[in-house]
Amino acid sequence: MTNTKVAILGAGLAGLNAARLLHRAGIDFILLEAGGRPGGRILSVDAAGAPAADGFDLGPSWFWPDRQRAIAGLVRELGLESFPQNAQGYVVFERMSREAPHRLSGLRDDQQSQRLAGGSAALVDALVKALPTDRLRYGAKVVAMTLTAGGVELSVRTGDVVKETLTAEQVIVALPPRLLAATIPLDPAPYDSVLHLWNSTPTWMAPHAKVFALYDRPFWREAGFSGTAQSLVGPMAEIHDATTCSGQAALFGFVGVGAGQRAAMGEEALKAACIQQFARIFGDDAANPRATLLKDWASDSLTATPADAAPTAHAAGQAREWIAGPWQARLAFAGSETSAIEAGFLSGAVEASVEAAKLVRQRLEGMLAG
């Protein structure tokens, strides 16, 4: 049996940042990640779909430093480079299939979105480098948690076998609340009101799919387009320029059809329909990308549950009582969905992880004082 002060569930942005803060405070932790890589919903890949240091963001990509202080501060602290999302040129609007797409003058953005050089995975890489490697465990899935007199007992599975029992005085849950409710039994069971809150909280990115088309050059810019489009025709509802800071040219779109319809279409048919839409909007040059990428987060079992297949509203972003009853003194939530001010954004993951690390540190100090 392994003992630690704090067990952290999930090595996405929130879990990694919570680990960084605890490590800086000299607090022992073990970070458990069910998948084989860090990052969670942050996934930056190359043209072949493999994780890359200068990649395309299949998950979240933007942040707004003027109004999102938590993520802006972390980017500065880690010394990362950012660049503005391209907004120069026409915006296109597709209203009806029998009408030609409408060109609109680009709108001024007083709070322009930024992207990270190298992709959002630059955040993940920098945070991992700040942590002791022997405290990071990948392919380690928590399958049960039991409250004990001295803390929490966690059953950890590697592959198909429960290989370890881990005990911790505190647990930071850096997972979406709905995913926790669906995948990790707690003993004693949380109150019904708590489970209802967890299950009713939308998971950021989970219902969505992103399609990328990669090109040799950003020809749409040469033709006066920003790369931004809105469509009521589909299959993509929203399109943007995804060209990297290093100049790798790409467009991407959020697929506007639901998860069930995406599954029924199949990956190749869906990508083909999206390429047709890119060409319809931006011209024949868009019809022959050098590569295409598709990430359907609704089919990712480490992100989504069956409840996430249906489109839902964005996470609420307000102060809530995420835990009540006997677990209240042992659990702390750090996922983006639990942020009181930036739920469902990169900044929300940072803000929530800061608050969780602070709470856990206060609890541990209180135990020592007691």
Side-chain angles (χ1 to χ4, degrees), residues 3-42:
N3 301 317
T4 186
K5 285 288 184 180
V6 184
I8 303 172
L9 278 56
L13 174 56
L16 291 169
N17 194 49
R20 179 183 71 98
L21 295 171
L22 294 179
H23 181 57
R24 191 167 67 183
I27 297 173
D28 181 52
F29 71 90
I30 293 177
L31 193 155
L32 301 163
E33 167 57 48
R37 61 169 182 86
R41 285 164 280 184
I42 293 178

PDB file of all heavy atoms in Angstrom, residues 3-42:
ATOM      1  N   ASN A   3       1.336   5.370   0.441  1.00  0.00           N
ATOM      2  CA  ASN A   3       0.758   6.507   1.157  1.00  0.00           C
ATOM      3  C   ASN A   3       1.257   7.816   0.566  1.00  0.00           C
ATOM      4  O   ASN A   3       2.417   7.933   0.163  1.00  0.00           O
ATOM      5  CB  ASN A   3       1.133   6.453   2.642  1.00  0.00           C
ATOM      6  CG  ASN A   3       0.656   5.187   3.313  1.00  0.00           C
ATOM      7  OD1 ASN A   3      -0.458   4.737   3.099  1.00  0.00           O
ATOM      8  ND2 ASN A   3       1.522   4.588   4.124  1.00  0.00           N
ATOM      9  N   THR A   4       0.392   8.808   0.542  1.00  0.00           N
ATOM     10  CA  THR A   4       0.776  10.149   0.107  1.00  0.00           C
ATOM     11  C   THR A   4      -0.108  11.163   0.815  1.00  0.00           C
ATOM     12  O   THR A   4      -1.188  10.828   1.320  1.00  0.00           O
ATOM     13  CB  THR A   4       0.646  10.295  -1.419  1.00  0.00           C
ATOM     14  OG1 THR A   4       1.171  11.566  -1.809  1.00  0.00           O
ATOM     15  CG2 THR A   4      -0.800  10.201  -1.871  1.00  0.00           C
ATOM     16  N   LYS A   5       0.336  12.379   0.863  1.00  0.00           N
ATOM     17  CA  LYS A   5      -0.484  13.435   1.450  1.00  0.00           C
ATOM     18  C   LYS A   5      -1.705  13.728   0.577  1.00  0.00           C
ATOM     19  O   LYS A   5      -2.825  13.854   1.052  1.00  0.00           O
ATOM     20  CB  LYS A   5       0.336  14.713   1.632  1.00  0.00           C
ATOM     21  CG  LYS A   5       1.321  14.684   2.773  1.00  0.00           C
ATOM     22  CD  LYS A   5       0.605  14.751   4.121  1.00  0.00           C
ATOM     23  CE  LYS A   5       1.605  14.826   5.262  1.00  0.00           C
ATOM     24  NZ  LYS A   5       0.928  14.889   6.579  1.00  0.00           N
ATOM     25  N   VAL A   6      -1.455  13.869  -0.744  1.00  0.00           N
ATOM     26  CA  VAL A   6      -2.523  14.274  -1.662  1.00  0.00           C
ATOM     27  C   VAL A   6      -2.490  13.397  -2.908  1.00  0.00           C
ATOM     28  O   VAL A   6      -1.437  13.238  -3.533  1.00  0.00           O
ATOM     29  CB  VAL A   6      -2.376  15.754  -2.095  1.00  0.00           C
ATOM     30  CG1 VAL A   6      -3.567  16.178  -2.970  1.00  0.00           C
ATOM     31  CG2 VAL A   6      -2.259  16.656  -0.874  1.00  0.00           C
ATOM     32  N   ALA A   7      -3.636  12.844  -3.259  1.00  0.00           N
ATOM     33  CA  ALA A   7      -3.808  12.166  -4.543  1.00  0.00           C
ATOM     34  C   ALA A   7      -4.553  13.117  -5.472  1.00  0.00           C
ATOM     35  O   ALA A   7      -5.546  13.730  -5.079  1.00  0.00           O
ATOM     36  CB  ALA A   7      -4.589  10.872  -4.376  1.00  0.00           C
ATOM     37  N   ILE A   8      -4.046  13.249  -6.680  1.00  0.00           N
ATOM     38  CA  ILE A   8      -4.679  14.108  -7.677  1.00  0.00           C
ATOM     39  C   ILE A   8      -5.175  13.225  -8.806  1.00  0.00           C
ATOM     40  O   ILE A   8      -4.425  12.434  -9.367  1.00  0.00           O
ATOM     41  CB  ILE A   8      -3.689  15.153  -8.233  1.00  0.00           C
ATOM     42  CG1 ILE A   8      -3.105  15.993  -7.090  1.00  0.00           C
ATOM     43  CG2 ILE A   8      -4.373  16.058  -9.256  1.00  0.00           C
ATOM     44  CD1 ILE A   8      -1.975  16.907  -7.529  1.00  0.00           C
ATOM     45  N   LEU A   9      -6.445  13.340  -9.149  1.00  0.00           N
ATOM     46  CA  LEU A   9      -7.052  12.533 -10.194  1.00  0.00           C
ATOM     47  C   LEU A   9      -7.169  13.356 -11.470  1.00  0.00           C
ATOM     48  O   LEU A   9      -7.913  14.332 -11.525  1.00  0.00           O
ATOM     49  CB  LEU A   9      -8.447  12.059  -9.765  1.00  0.00           C
ATOM     50  CG  LEU A   9      -8.538  10.830  -8.858  1.00  0.00           C
ATOM     51  CD1 LEU A   9      -7.734  10.995  -7.579  1.00  0.00           C
ATOM     52  CD2 LEU A   9      -9.993  10.516  -8.533  1.00  0.00           C
ATOM     53  N   GLY A  10      -6.395  12.963 -12.482  1.00  0.00           N
ATOM     54  CA  GLY A  10      -6.464  13.624 -13.772  1.00  0.00           C
ATOM     55  C   GLY A  10      -5.270  14.517 -14.027  1.00  0.00           C
ATOM     56  O   GLY A  10      -4.985  15.430 -13.252  1.00  0.00           O
ATOM     57  N   ALA A  11      -4.554  14.266 -15.151  1.00  0.00           N
ATOM     58  CA  ALA A  11      -3.357  15.038 -15.495  1.00  0.00           C
ATOM     59  C   ALA A  11      -3.621  15.989 -16.641  1.00  0.00           C
ATOM     60  O   ALA A  11      -2.783  16.180 -17.519  1.00  0.00           O
ATOM     61  CB  ALA A  11      -2.201  14.101 -15.844  1.00  0.00           C
ATOM     62  N   GLY A  12      -4.804  16.599 -16.645  1.00  0.00           N
ATOM     63  CA  GLY A  12      -5.055  17.701 -17.552  1.00  0.00           C
ATOM     64  C   GLY A  12      -4.445  18.970 -16.985  1.00  0.00           C
ATOM     65  O   GLY A  12      -3.668  18.941 -16.025  1.00  0.00           O
ATOM     66  N   LEU A  13      -4.813  20.099 -17.566  1.00  0.00           N
ATOM     67  CA  LEU A  13      -4.256  21.376 -17.116  1.00  0.00           C
ATOM     68  C   LEU A  13      -4.503  21.599 -15.630  1.00  0.00           C
ATOM     69  O   LEU A  13      -3.602  22.019 -14.896  1.00  0.00           O
ATOM     70  CB  LEU A  13      -4.867  22.515 -17.941  1.00  0.00           C
ATOM     71  CG  LEU A  13      -4.506  23.944 -17.533  1.00  0.00           C
ATOM     72  CD1 LEU A  13      -2.996  24.162 -17.518  1.00  0.00           C
ATOM     73  CD2 LEU A  13      -5.188  24.938 -18.469  1.00  0.00           C
ATOM     74  N   ALA A  14      -5.711  21.314 -15.159  1.00  0.00           N
ATOM     75  CA  ALA A  14      -6.042  21.545 -13.752  1.00  0.00           C
ATOM     76  C   ALA A  14      -5.219  20.653 -12.829  1.00  0.00           C
ATOM     77  O   ALA A  14      -4.659  21.111 -11.830  1.00  0.00           O
ATOM     78  CB  ALA A  14      -7.535  21.331 -13.518  1.00  0.00           C
ATOM     79  N   GLY A  15      -5.149  19.360 -13.136  1.00  0.00           N
ATOM     80  CA  GLY A  15      -4.399  18.446 -12.283  1.00  0.00           C
ATOM     81  C   GLY A  15      -2.921  18.758 -12.252  1.00  0.00           C
ATOM     82  O   GLY A  15      -2.281  18.721 -11.193  1.00  0.00           O
ATOM     83  N   LEU A  16      -2.360  19.086 -13.415  1.00  0.00           N
ATOM     84  CA  LEU A  16      -0.937  19.416 -13.469  1.00  0.00           C
ATOM     85  C   LEU A  16      -0.622  20.695 -12.714  1.00  0.00           C
ATOM     86  O   LEU A  16       0.397  20.791 -12.020  1.00  0.00           O
ATOM     87  CB  LEU A  16      -0.495  19.547 -14.930  1.00  0.00           C
ATOM     88  CG  LEU A  16      -0.465  18.252 -15.740  1.00  0.00           C
ATOM     89  CD1 LEU A  16      -0.269  18.563 -17.215  1.00  0.00           C
ATOM     90  CD2 LEU A  16       0.622  17.302 -15.246  1.00  0.00           C
ATOM     91  N   ASN A  17      -1.489  21.690 -12.842  1.00  0.00           N
ATOM     92  CA  ASN A  17      -1.216  22.946 -12.137  1.00  0.00           C
ATOM     93  C   ASN A  17      -1.390  22.783 -10.631  1.00  0.00           C
ATOM     94  O   ASN A  17      -0.619  23.347  -9.848  1.00  0.00           O
ATOM     95  CB  ASN A  17      -2.119  24.065 -12.650  1.00  0.00           C
ATOM     96  CG  ASN A  17      -1.639  25.424 -12.189  1.00  0.00           C
ATOM     97  OD1 ASN A  17      -0.463  25.755 -12.326  1.00  0.00           O
ATOM     98  ND2 ASN A  17      -2.536  26.215 -11.610  1.00  0.00           N
ATOM     99  N   ALA A  18      -2.391  22.013 -10.216  1.00  0.00           N
ATOM    100  CA  ALA A  18      -2.532  21.733  -8.780  1.00  0.00           C
ATOM    101  C   ALA A  18      -1.290  21.019  -8.250  1.00  0.00           C
ATOM    102  O   ALA A  18      -0.786  21.342  -7.167  1.00  0.00           O
ATOM    103  CB  ALA A  18      -3.786  20.882  -8.540  1.00  0.00           C
ATOM    104  N   ALA A  19      -0.776  20.065  -9.032  1.00  0.00           N
ATOM    105  CA  ALA A  19       0.443  19.361  -8.623  1.00  0.00           C
ATOM    106  C   ALA A  19       1.622  20.316  -8.524  1.00  0.00           C
ATOM    107  O   ALA A  19       2.424  20.236  -7.581  1.00  0.00           O
ATOM    108  CB  ALA A  19       0.737  18.241  -9.622  1.00  0.00           C
ATOM    109  N   ARG A  20       1.732  21.220  -9.477  1.00  0.00           N
ATOM    110  CA  ARG A  20       2.826  22.200  -9.446  1.00  0.00           C
ATOM    111  C   ARG A  20       2.766  23.049  -8.183  1.00  0.00           C
ATOM    112  O   ARG A  20       3.791  23.308  -7.527  1.00  0.00           O
ATOM    113  CB  ARG A  20       2.742  23.095 -10.680  1.00  0.00           C
ATOM    114  CG  ARG A  20       3.815  24.175 -10.763  1.00  0.00           C
ATOM    115  CD  ARG A  20       3.580  25.055 -11.986  1.00  0.00           C
ATOM    116  NE  ARG A  20       2.427  25.911 -11.827  1.00  0.00           N
ATOM    117  CZ  ARG A  20       2.473  27.189 -11.449  1.00  0.00           C
ATOM    118  NH1 ARG A  20       3.647  27.762 -11.171  1.00  0.00           N
ATOM    119  NH2 ARG A  20       1.372  27.905 -11.335  1.00  0.00           N
ATOM    120  N   LEU A  21       1.581  23.498  -7.817  1.00  0.00           N
ATOM    121  CA  LEU A  21       1.423  24.354  -6.641  1.00  0.00           C
ATOM    122  C   LEU A  21       1.725  23.591  -5.353  1.00  0.00           C
ATOM    123  O   LEU A  21       2.346  24.134  -4.434  1.00  0.00           O
ATOM    124  CB  LEU A  21       0.013  24.937  -6.612  1.00  0.00           C
ATOM    125  CG  LEU A  21      -0.318  25.883  -7.778  1.00  0.00           C
ATOM    126  CD1 LEU A  21      -1.802  26.236  -7.782  1.00  0.00           C
ATOM    127  CD2 LEU A  21       0.526  27.151  -7.702  1.00  0.00           C
ATOM    128  N   LEU A  22       1.288  22.340  -5.280  1.00  0.00           N
ATOM    129  CA  LEU A  22       1.589  21.538  -4.093  1.00  0.00           C
ATOM    130  C   LEU A  22       3.089  21.247  -4.004  1.00  0.00           C
ATOM    131  O   LEU A  22       3.677  21.319  -2.920  1.00  0.00           O
ATOM    132  CB  LEU A  22       0.803  20.226  -4.135  1.00  0.00           C
ATOM    133  CG  LEU A  22      -0.719  20.328  -4.026  1.00  0.00           C
ATOM    134  CD1 LEU A  22      -1.348  18.945  -4.113  1.00  0.00           C
ATOM    135  CD2 LEU A  22      -1.144  21.017  -2.732  1.00  0.00           C
ATOM    136  N   HIS A  23       3.687  20.918  -5.130  1.00  0.00           N
ATOM    137  CA  HIS A  23       5.116  20.626  -5.143  1.00  0.00           C
ATOM    138  C   HIS A  23       5.910  21.848  -4.700  1.00  0.00           C
ATOM    139  O   HIS A  23       6.877  21.725  -3.919  1.00  0.00           O
ATOM    140  CB  HIS A  23       5.530  20.191  -6.549  1.00  0.00           C
ATOM    141  CG  HIS A  23       6.970  19.839  -6.681  1.00  0.00           C
ATOM    142  ND1 HIS A  23       7.591  18.863  -5.923  1.00  0.00           N
ATOM    143  CD2 HIS A  23       7.950  20.348  -7.494  1.00  0.00           C
ATOM    144  CE1 HIS A  23       8.853  18.775  -6.257  1.00  0.00           C
ATOM    145  NE2 HIS A  23       9.112  19.673  -7.198  1.00  0.00           N
ATOM    146  N   ARG A  24       5.500  23.024  -5.172  1.00  0.00           N
ATOM    147  CA  ARG A  24       6.184  24.259  -4.784  1.00  0.00           C
ATOM    148  C   ARG A  24       6.046  24.520  -3.292  1.00  0.00           C
ATOM    149  O   ARG A  24       6.937  25.105  -2.672  1.00  0.00           O
ATOM    150  CB  ARG A  24       5.614  25.431  -5.592  1.00  0.00           C
ATOM    151  CG  ARG A  24       6.413  26.704  -5.476  1.00  0.00           C
ATOM    152  CD  ARG A  24       5.983  27.694  -6.533  1.00  0.00           C
ATOM    153  NE  ARG A  24       4.620  28.180  -6.334  1.00  0.00           N
ATOM    154  CZ  ARG A  24       4.000  29.005  -7.163  1.00  0.00           C
ATOM    155  NH1 ARG A  24       4.590  29.416  -8.275  1.00  0.00           N
ATOM    156  NH2 ARG A  24       2.768  29.407  -6.916  1.00  0.00           N
ATOM    157  N   ALA A  25       4.941  24.061  -2.703  1.00  0.00           N
ATOM    158  CA  ALA A  25       4.714  24.247  -1.267  1.00  0.00           C
ATOM    159  C   ALA A  25       5.342  23.137  -0.435  1.00  0.00           C
ATOM    160  O   ALA A  25       5.218  23.139   0.800  1.00  0.00           O
ATOM    161  CB  ALA A  25       3.215  24.319  -0.982  1.00  0.00           C
ATOM    162  N   GLY A  26       6.008  22.173  -1.091  1.00  0.00           N
ATOM    163  CA  GLY A  26       6.660  21.086  -0.359  1.00  0.00           C
ATOM    164  C   GLY A  26       5.714  20.015   0.123  1.00  0.00           C
ATOM    165  O   GLY A  26       6.023  19.291   1.074  1.00  0.00           O
ATOM    166  N   ILE A  27       4.544  19.881  -0.521  1.00  0.00           N
ATOM    167  CA  ILE A  27       3.534  18.897  -0.116  1.00  0.00           C
ATOM    168  C   ILE A  27       3.624  17.689  -1.039  1.00  0.00           C
ATOM    169  O   ILE A  27       3.556  17.811  -2.260  1.00  0.00           O
ATOM    170  CB  ILE A  27       2.124  19.511  -0.167  1.00  0.00           C
ATOM    171  CG1 ILE A  27       2.031  20.668   0.838  1.00  0.00           C
ATOM    172  CG2 ILE A  27       1.062  18.457   0.118  1.00  0.00           C
ATOM    173  CD1 ILE A  27       0.732  21.449   0.748  1.00  0.00           C
ATOM    174  N   ASP A  28       3.748  16.510  -0.455  1.00  0.00           N
ATOM    175  CA  ASP A  28       3.860  15.283  -1.231  1.00  0.00           C
ATOM    176  C   ASP A  28       2.543  14.986  -1.935  1.00  0.00           C
ATOM    177  O   ASP A  28       1.459  15.159  -1.383  1.00  0.00           O
ATOM    178  CB  ASP A  28       4.223  14.113  -0.320  1.00  0.00           C
ATOM    179  CG  ASP A  28       4.382  12.817  -1.080  1.00  0.00           C
ATOM    180  OD1 ASP A  28       5.142  12.796  -2.068  1.00  0.00           O
ATOM    181  OD2 ASP A  28       3.720  11.828  -0.715  1.00  0.00           O
ATOM    182  N   PHE A  29       2.639  14.514  -3.189  1.00  0.00           N
ATOM    183  CA  PHE A  29       1.444  14.178  -3.967  1.00  0.00           C
ATOM    184  C   PHE A  29       1.770  13.028  -4.905  1.00  0.00           C
ATOM    185  O   PHE A  29       2.935  12.729  -5.202  1.00  0.00           O
ATOM    186  CB  PHE A  29       0.983  15.386  -4.797  1.00  0.00           C
ATOM    187  CG  PHE A  29       1.900  15.704  -5.951  1.00  0.00           C
ATOM    188  CD1 PHE A  29       1.701  15.131  -7.210  1.00  0.00           C
ATOM    189  CD2 PHE A  29       3.007  16.532  -5.774  1.00  0.00           C
ATOM    190  CE1 PHE A  29       2.567  15.389  -8.259  1.00  0.00           C
ATOM    191  CE2 PHE A  29       3.872  16.799  -6.833  1.00  0.00           C
ATOM    192  CZ  PHE A  29       3.656  16.224  -8.078  1.00  0.00           C
ATOM    193  N   ILE A  30       0.730  12.388  -5.377  1.00  0.00           N
ATOM    194  CA  ILE A  30       0.806  11.458  -6.500  1.00  0.00           C
ATOM    195  C   ILE A  30      -0.300  11.839  -7.468  1.00  0.00           C
ATOM    196  O   ILE A  30      -1.456  11.983  -7.073  1.00  0.00           O
ATOM    197  CB  ILE A  30       0.675   9.987  -6.057  1.00  0.00           C
ATOM    198  CG1 ILE A  30       1.886   9.574  -5.230  1.00  0.00           C
ATOM    199  CG2 ILE A  30       0.508   9.070  -7.266  1.00  0.00           C
ATOM    200  CD1 ILE A  30       1.810   8.150  -4.689  1.00  0.00           C
ATOM    201  N   LEU A  31       0.055  12.009  -8.724  1.00  0.00           N
ATOM    202  CA  LEU A  31      -0.919  12.371  -9.748  1.00  0.00           C
ATOM    203  C   LEU A  31      -1.248  11.121 -10.561  1.00  0.00           C
ATOM    204  O   LEU A  31      -0.360  10.480 -11.123  1.00  0.00           O
ATOM    205  CB  LEU A  31      -0.359  13.483 -10.644  1.00  0.00           C
ATOM    206  CG  LEU A  31      -1.356  14.176 -11.570  1.00  0.00           C
ATOM    207  CD1 LEU A  31      -0.871  15.577 -11.925  1.00  0.00           C
ATOM    208  CD2 LEU A  31      -1.579  13.383 -12.849  1.00  0.00           C
ATOM    209  N   LEU A  32      -2.527  10.782 -10.619  1.00  0.00           N
ATOM    210  CA  LEU A  32      -2.992   9.571 -11.288  1.00  0.00           C
ATOM    211  C   LEU A  32      -3.768   9.945 -12.548  1.00  0.00           C
ATOM    212  O   LEU A  32      -4.765  10.667 -12.486  1.00  0.00           O
ATOM    213  CB  LEU A  32      -3.898   8.767 -10.346  1.00  0.00           C
ATOM    214  CG  LEU A  32      -3.249   8.339  -9.032  1.00  0.00           C
ATOM    215  CD1 LEU A  32      -4.314   7.938  -8.015  1.00  0.00           C
ATOM    216  CD2 LEU A  32      -2.266   7.196  -9.258  1.00  0.00           C
ATOM    217  N   GLU A  33      -3.304   9.439 -13.684  1.00  0.00           N
ATOM    218  CA  GLU A  33      -3.940   9.725 -14.973  1.00  0.00           C
ATOM    219  C   GLU A  33      -4.327   8.414 -15.641  1.00  0.00           C
ATOM    220  O   GLU A  33      -3.478   7.549 -15.873  1.00  0.00           O
ATOM    221  CB  GLU A  33      -2.982  10.519 -15.874  1.00  0.00           C
ATOM    222  CG  GLU A  33      -3.383  10.604 -17.327  1.00  0.00           C
ATOM    223  CD  GLU A  33      -4.765  11.195 -17.539  1.00  0.00           C
ATOM    224  OE1 GLU A  33      -5.068  12.257 -16.934  1.00  0.00           O
ATOM    225  OE2 GLU A  33      -5.541  10.604 -18.308  1.00  0.00           O
ATOM    226  N   ALA A  34      -5.625   8.281 -15.946  1.00  0.00           N
ATOM    227  CA  ALA A  34      -6.101   7.034 -16.540  1.00  0.00           C
ATOM    228  C   ALA A  34      -5.560   6.816 -17.946  1.00  0.00           C
ATOM    229  O   ALA A  34      -5.366   5.674 -18.369  1.00  0.00           O
ATOM    230  CB  ALA A  34      -7.629   7.025 -16.556  1.00  0.00           C
ATOM    231  N   GLY A  35      -5.327   7.888 -18.680  1.00  0.00           N
ATOM    232  CA  GLY A  35      -4.812   7.766 -20.036  1.00  0.00           C
ATOM    233  C   GLY A  35      -3.306   7.598 -20.065  1.00  0.00           C
ATOM    234  O   GLY A  35      -2.628   7.630 -19.035  1.00  0.00           O
ATOM    235  N   GLY A  36      -2.792   7.453 -21.263  1.00  0.00           N
ATOM    236  CA  GLY A  36      -1.365   7.208 -21.409  1.00  0.00           C
ATOM    237  C   GLY A  36      -0.533   8.445 -21.605  1.00  0.00           C
ATOM    238  O   GLY A  36       0.680   8.337 -21.871  1.00  0.00           O
ATOM    239  N   ARG A  37      -1.128   9.625 -21.485  1.00  0.00           N
ATOM    240  CA  ARG A  37      -0.400  10.874 -21.711  1.00  0.00           C
ATOM    241  C   ARG A  37      -0.965  11.948 -20.793  1.00  0.00           C
ATOM    242  O   ARG A  37      -2.111  11.859 -20.344  1.00  0.00           O
ATOM    243  CB  ARG A  37      -0.554  11.332 -23.170  1.00  0.00           C
ATOM    244  CG  ARG A  37      -2.004  11.610 -23.544  1.00  0.00           C
ATOM    245  CD  ARG A  37      -2.185  12.297 -24.874  1.00  0.00           C
ATOM    246  NE  ARG A  37      -3.604  12.563 -25.118  1.00  0.00           N
ATOM    247  CZ  ARG A  37      -4.250  13.627 -24.683  1.00  0.00           C
ATOM    248  NH1 ARG A  37      -3.605  14.558 -23.988  1.00  0.00           N
ATOM    249  NH2 ARG A  37      -5.543  13.797 -24.930  1.00  0.00           N
ATOM    250  N   PRO A  38      -0.187  13.006 -20.539  1.00  0.00           N
ATOM    251  CA  PRO A  38      -0.737  14.148 -19.819  1.00  0.00           C
ATOM    252  C   PRO A  38      -1.514  15.048 -20.777  1.00  0.00           C
ATOM    253  O   PRO A  38      -1.382  14.940 -21.997  1.00  0.00           O
ATOM    254  CB  PRO A  38       0.514  14.858 -19.303  1.00  0.00           C
ATOM    255  CG  PRO A  38       1.550  14.559 -20.346  1.00  0.00           C
ATOM    256  CD  PRO A  38       1.246  13.164 -20.826  1.00  0.00           C
ATOM    257  N   GLY A  39      -2.327  15.929 -20.222  1.00  0.00           N
ATOM    258  CA  GLY A  39      -3.007  16.927 -21.041  1.00  0.00           C
ATOM    259  C   GLY A  39      -4.513  16.842 -21.028  1.00  0.00           C
ATOM    260  O   GLY A  39      -5.195  17.857 -21.156  1.00  0.00           O
ATOM    261  N   GLY A  40      -5.061  15.639 -20.916  1.00  0.00           N
ATOM    262  CA  GLY A  40      -6.516  15.524 -20.931  1.00  0.00           C
ATOM    263  C   GLY A  40      -7.111  16.046 -22.227  1.00  0.00           C
ATOM    264  O   GLY A  40      -6.773  15.573 -23.325  1.00  0.00           O
ATOM    265  N   ARG A  41      -7.967  17.059 -22.107  1.00  0.00           N
ATOM    266  CA  ARG A  41      -8.614  17.626 -23.293  1.00  0.00           C
ATOM    267  C   ARG A  41      -7.696  18.555 -24.077  1.00  0.00           C
ATOM    268  O   ARG A  41      -8.063  19.007 -25.158  1.00  0.00           O
ATOM    269  CB  ARG A  41      -9.895  18.344 -22.872  1.00  0.00           C
ATOM    270  CG  ARG A  41     -11.017  17.385 -22.523  1.00  0.00           C
ATOM    271  CD  ARG A  41     -12.127  18.063 -21.740  1.00  0.00           C
ATOM    272  NE  ARG A  41     -11.781  18.200 -20.331  1.00  0.00           N
ATOM    273  CZ  ARG A  41     -12.606  18.690 -19.407  1.00  0.00           C
ATOM    274  NH1 ARG A  41     -13.807  19.124 -19.762  1.00  0.00           N
ATOM    275  NH2 ARG A  41     -12.223  18.766 -18.146  1.00  0.00           N
ATOM    276  N   ILE A  42      -6.531  18.830 -23.567  1.00  0.00           N
ATOM    277  CA  ILE A  42      -5.523  19.549 -24.348  1.00  0.00           C
ATOM    278  C   ILE A  42      -4.756  18.525 -25.160  1.00  0.00           C
ATOM    279  O   ILE A  42      -4.099  17.635 -24.617  1.00  0.00           O
ATOM    280  CB  ILE A  42      -4.566  20.339 -23.430  1.00  0.00           C
ATOM    281  CG1 ILE A  42      -5.310  21.479 -22.735  1.00  0.00           C
ATOM    282  CG2 ILE A  42      -3.392  20.882 -24.233  1.00  0.00           C
ATOM    283  CD1 ILE A  42      -4.451  22.280 -21.781  1.00  0.00           C
TER     284      ILE A  42
END
